[in-house]
Amino acid sequence: MFRDLGGYKISIHPDSPRKAITTQFYLPGDSSQLHLGTLFHHRREDGTFPIAVPMRFAPNTGYSFAVTPESFHSVNPMRPDDRPRDSLMLIISYDRGPFVEGLKSARSYIRGGWDRLRHADDDAPGFEEGR
């Protein structure tokens, strides 16, 4: 559950490459907040990002998209007097697999072992700083 308040905005961006699918269900109490929907953009060759699809922040609506390097979207700044922008976000992330996660785990294990070896004599009897 998300609750965005006055002043909230998100600049044009694609989602993280770790995400596979982004889904957002809009939960407004009525149709008075239509201007608070997500804006989907496309990138032109000149580097501009015109709006391709504007979503309306309406009851019983939402969106879902497969995340790509080109899935640009944003939210215009909320006005201070806007009521909260409530929504339910569902994000499906990629399983990076045992190889990548295994490398991260191995790196931590090796780093910890190295630190223990470097400081193994710190607690030995007769150890003095500077020797």
Side-chain angles (χ1 to χ4, degrees), residues 10-30:
I10 296 182
S11 300
I12 299 170
H13 70 286
D15 277 346
S16 163
R18 292 186 64 184
K19 296 179 183 178
I21 298 172
T22 296
T23 302
Q24 187 169 19
F25 299 98
Y26 293 151
L27 304 173
D30 55 38

Side-chain angles (χ1 to χ4, degrees), residues 57-80:
F57 191 74
N60 300 312
T61 63
Y63 63 85
S64 185
F65 63 91
V67 175
T68 72
E70 299 295 313
S71 56
F72 295 103
H73 55 288
S74 67
V75 175
N76 284 331
M78 290 179 63
R79 298 183 303 241

Side-chain angles (χ1 to χ4, degrees), residues 12 38-42 44 48-55 74 76:
I12 299 170
T38 300
L39 306 172
F40 291 91
H41 305 266
H42 70 275
R44 289 188 176 153
T48 60
F49 294 89
I51 296 171
V53 178
M55 299 299 297
S74 67
N76 284 331

